[in-house]
Structure formats: C-alpha cells, structure tokens
Amino acid sequence: MSCNECGNFFCEGAEKAPQRSLFNALGFTKEEMKRPMVGIVSSYNEIVPGHMNIDKIVDAVKMGVAMAGGTPVVFPAIAVCDGIAMGHEGMKYSLVTRDLIADSTECMAKAHHFDALVMVPNCDKNVPGMLMAAARVNVPTIFVSGGPMLAGHVKGDKTSLSSMFEAVGAYTSGKISVDEFEEYENKACPTCGSCSGMYTANSMNCLTEVLGMGLKGNGTIPAVYSERIRLAKQAGMAVMELYRKNIRPLDIMTEKAFMNALAVDMALGCSTNSMLHLPAIAHECGIKIDLDIANEISAKTPNLCHLAPAGHAYMEDLNEAGGVYAVMNELNKKNLINTDIITCTGKTVAENIAGCVNKNTDIIRPVEEPYSETGGIAVLKGNLAKNGCVVKRSAVVEEMLVHTGPAKVFDCEEDAMAAILGGKIVKGDVVVIRYEGPKGGPGMREMLNPTSAIQGMGLGSDVALITDGRFSGASRGASIGHVCPEAADGGIIGIVKDGDMITVNIPEYTLTLNVDDAEIERRMAEFVPKQKELSGYLKRYAKLVSSAAEGAVLN
C-alpha cells in the first residue's frame, strides 16, 4: 500500500526523489503523485476480436479511477485468439501464454509498486492468467472484461463461431452449398467481443463474477453495449473503495469462493477448460482443487443452462435473463452457494444477489426443473485415464452418454483431421488423438477442428473423440479431453492400437480400454513415449509444466 493514507508509495521522502523525477518525465503532476497509483492491465490488441474494443473499456476505467481519487496508469498484457490459432502450430502457443501473462503482470505490478490494480482481459488465457497474477500481487484488484460478442444470424437462426467450424464439415461432406458456406463465413461473428457462446472466454469471465472479482454483468453484458462502458467506469470507482477498505484478492478468492465457482460452472455448463484454469488460480491462492472435488459438486448441482454449443441460447440471452447473479440466486434456493463471503463490491454474495431474479426460465431453468440433476461437466476415470479426464456432459447427446467402439488412433491433430475429412471415420468409431497434452504437444492444443468436423459431417451422435489435449468451449459431442497421464508422460493412451475397443460411460464416470490387464502390462513394458525436437519457449514449458489434472501449472 501507499506510504500514507492518501498518497502513493512514491509520494514522500528524499529517498524516493529519484523515482519522482522519473514520474516528472512521464508528465505526472504533484497532485497525481499524491494519489494512489492504480495499474490498469490492458489486453488491448488489433488481432483478437475480443480485444479490439478494450481501448474504450480502459479509457472508461481510467475515468472511473480518476473520479474516485486515484491516478490511473496503463500497462499491457498479451492475448492469443484461440480461434485464429486453431488447427495449426499456433495453438501450441495458446495455453502457454496463461503463465506468461501471470508472470509479466506480476513483474510489472511489483516492479512499479502499484497501490491497486484493474485487470481488463477478455479471452481464454488472459482471464485466468490475470487472476493468477492478482493472487500473487495481492493488492486491491478488480476485473472488468471486454464483454461477449453478439450472436450472428444465418437464415433467421442465431449462430456463433462453433457454427462456422461445423459448417466446414458440412461443406466438405456436401451437406451445404458454397453460397451457404460463405454466408456462415460472413455472418457467424458479427461484432467485436469474446465469441458469443459459453466458450472458455465467457466461461472464465462469468466465473470471475462468481469468484467475487468482477462486478455484476462482467461476464454477460455484450461488448458493443454502452452499458459495458458504464460498467468499466464503475469498476474504476470500485477499486478505489477496495483500496480504502484494504480488501485484497486473497480476502475474496477463498476456498468458499472457489466452491461457488465450481457450482456455477456446473449450472452454466461452462467450458471444460475451467477444469484447467480454476485449479491453477486456486493454486496461486494456496488452495487445492482436484478433479474429484468437481465430481462431488457436480453430483449435487443441477445444470440450468444450455448455451451454445450445448443449445441455441447465447450470452446476450443469458444477460437479458438476469445474468450470472440470477443463476446464483437459483442455486441459492437449494443452499448450493456460500453467501457469507466478501466480494469486490465490498458486500457479501448474499447482498449482491438479493433481488436478482430469473427473467427467462427458457434460458435459465428454475432449480426445480433443471436440464439435469447433475452438473454440466463430468470427470471420468478408468484404466485409460487413471488420473482423470474431462467431458462437457451437457453438450453430449443422450445416445452417446454410453458408447463402445473401435479406436482409430492418431499421434497428432493434423492426422486425425485428414482422416475425418477423408471419410475414414465411420459410425461407432472412437477417435484417439494423443501426444497433444501439456508436455507432449507441448501446449495442449484445443481440438475444435476435429470435433466440429465430426459434428458437421453428421457423426456427432455416433463418434466419440478422446485426447490428452483439450477442447475449445465451442466443442460439443462426446469429446473427452485432458486424459491423464498423457502419452508423453507414459500414460496408457500411448499404447492404444487401432481396433482396440474403448468404452465411454459418462453416467458411471468411467473411461475404459477393453484390453486385458496382461496385454496392457506387456504393451507398457515395451512403451517408449515419443520425443519431439523443441526449441525456444515451448522447450522450457514442456520441461516445467505439470499434468492437466493439476491445472497444467508450471513447477
């Protein structure tokens, strides 16, 4: 904090004069130097659609901070667009940026001794990366995202990025014409913002609200609404209240807050990537979240929302229905939310959600009439995933909840895609993609291209996909990721052969390679995991990264 109650760390004392001379070089006035210095971490760039409006959000935050008596100072954070990185080498560089963002934000905040922080992220990895940094730096901090994209419209139906990816499979298999395909290309993503379904970015921005680190609407107010600008000003003012009350991230992100996040995760049907990011954020807070806890919470938490890709509702619909707080209020009717904990509003969860009613029971099901009595995410275990794997159960059609089929095995995403588009995957198959985990990829690529191609070609009700990589929040179907241990770490997924029968049983939480124990033991004795030639950051990352079951944190 500052050296006195009203000024920033550098405002007094002869020993701080050299620093003040550098602030003079920046054009700071004495009045600005006497106020708390608030770092605004901006992920604005011109390559990510979810970030192209963040300059406007940052300007509004600056105004809010200044109105409330602080001195706003902006510094940058990087961000990758997973959609643009998808399906090529670039996706290896997506997950790895989470830790780069956390590290660089920590470095900037600590080096310049900010009195408080406002984080302005939006897309998949910079939300959890900044939350990790907030825990490390632990000065009063608030989040305000860039907001979600509006849904597109094709032939009168709402669409999103997942619609576009699935259109590739539909076009390749001759189910739609070139004109229809181009219409999707031109209309699927109509505005700036994080892609319009309950994908990873929107999942994490909603869960930021639940954790208590973002104001109401942080996850759901569309990017193009002026309400988002007002929210940013309010966040700038709110961080000054947090500063005056000395409420810090570790006061807010408690174990109870993470249990709330897991419960709402299950109710919303969030991206399976939340099972990587929540444990990693909790780790920075000194809290352990494992996959078993996720199943315990899922068992008692109903799934209330089917947003794209699980259904035909979008973030704008959730916002109009009452947003995240309305979902929390529904869950609170069954005492599934911890309401006595403090948040970035300076109030408790109970105070925040009071009066936040469900305005559309078609979008947010009443807790008494859920889509299912169990949550949207399931963790499976078995001989093929001894340490667990993850599936978005709410996006799996009923006939694929239990499935047995022959394995078609691929050692990279590209080979699997060639087989799918080449018509080599048929009804009943279980596609296995390995050496795509945190170490083996490295970087744990998302498999949106293969899952979308399977859906677009009309195989979504007949084919399962299993990988030690991960899936975009836009993936749907029997898509089972995060298989641990991964192939590169000596996992049994590395010894699966074409034709081996595999059973997926989501209601029983199991994933089984139907090969007798003696044969598995024989194969494992001969198994030598493949090694890739690596250089640069990926080489370092592969040596340091932990299992996906532990959140793929760096050790």
Side-chain angles (χ1 to χ4, degrees), residues 437-515:
K439 290 180 184 294
M444 204 178 185
R445 287 196 288 182
E446 289 182 343
M447 302 290 143
L448 180 57
N449 275 351
T451 60
S452 297
I454 287 168
Q455 293 292 332
M457 296 178 79
L459 295 171
S461 298
D462 303 284
V463 171
L465 193 154
I466 296 168
T467 181
D468 53 10
R470 61 196 176 95
F471 295 107
S472 164
S475 290
R476 62 187 176 106
S479 304
I480 296 117
H482 307 201
V483 170
C484 297
E486 61 176 291
D489 225 9
I492 286 178
I493 191 174
I495 61 157
V496 179
K497 295 182 178 180
D498 282 342
D500 285 346
M501 300 302 287
I502 293 173
T503 296
V504 177
N505 191 323
I506 295 172
E508 297 294 328
Y509 303 103
T510 58
L511 179 66
T512 308
L513 175 64
N514 299 317
V515 173

Side-chain angles (χ1 to χ4, degrees), residues 44-56:
Y44 169 76
N45 62 50
E46 295 182 342
I47 189 62
V48 183
H51 294 235
M52 62 181 286
N53 66 319
I54 279 179
D55 55 341
K56 310 294 190 302

Side-chain angles (χ1 to χ4, degrees), residues 330-477:
E330 286 290 344
L331 293 178
N332 195 41
K333 293 175 183 177
K334 287 196 171 183
N335 298 315
L336 296 171
I337 294 290
N338 297 298
T339 60
D340 59 343
I341 52 178
I342 199 69
T343 70
C344 66
T345 64
K347 299 176 181 178
T348 64
V349 170
E351 292 174 298
N352 287 344
I353 68 175
C356 295
V357 298
N358 181 355
K359 300 175 183 177
N360 188 337
T361 55
D362 290 330
I363 304 300
I364 305 171
R365 287 277 185 92
V367 75
E368 302 86 4
E369 301 174 28
Y371 282 103
S372 65
E373 294 292 341
T374 52
I377 289 176
V379 174
L380 316 182
K381 288 190 175 181
N383 65 353
L384 191 47
K386 291 185 176 180
N387 297 337
C389 57
V390 182
V391 62
K392 190 169 184 174
R393 173 169 43 191
S394 60
V396 180
V397 293
E398 187 173 355
E399 53 266 38
M400 287 299 292
L401 291 173
V402 179
H403 177 78
T404 298
K408 296 281 183 70
V409 183
F410 306 94
D411 286 345
C412 66
E413 178 190 3
E414 288 84 355
D415 289 350
M417 272 299 291
I420 295 166
L421 295 178
K424 295 180 181 179
I425 304 303
V426 299
K427 289 184 177 183
D429 282 347
V430 177
V431 177
V432 177
I433 307 177
R434 60 195 180 194
Y435 294 104
E436 291 286 7
K439 290 180 184 294
M444 204 178 185
R445 287 196 288 182
E446 289 182 343
M447 302 290 143
L448 180 57
N449 275 351
T451 60
S452 297
I454 287 168
Q455 293 292 332
M457 296 178 79
L459 295 171
S461 298
D462 303 284
V463 171
L465 193 154
I466 296 168
T467 181
D468 53 10
R470 61 196 176 95
F471 295 107
S472 164
S475 290
R476 62 187 176 106

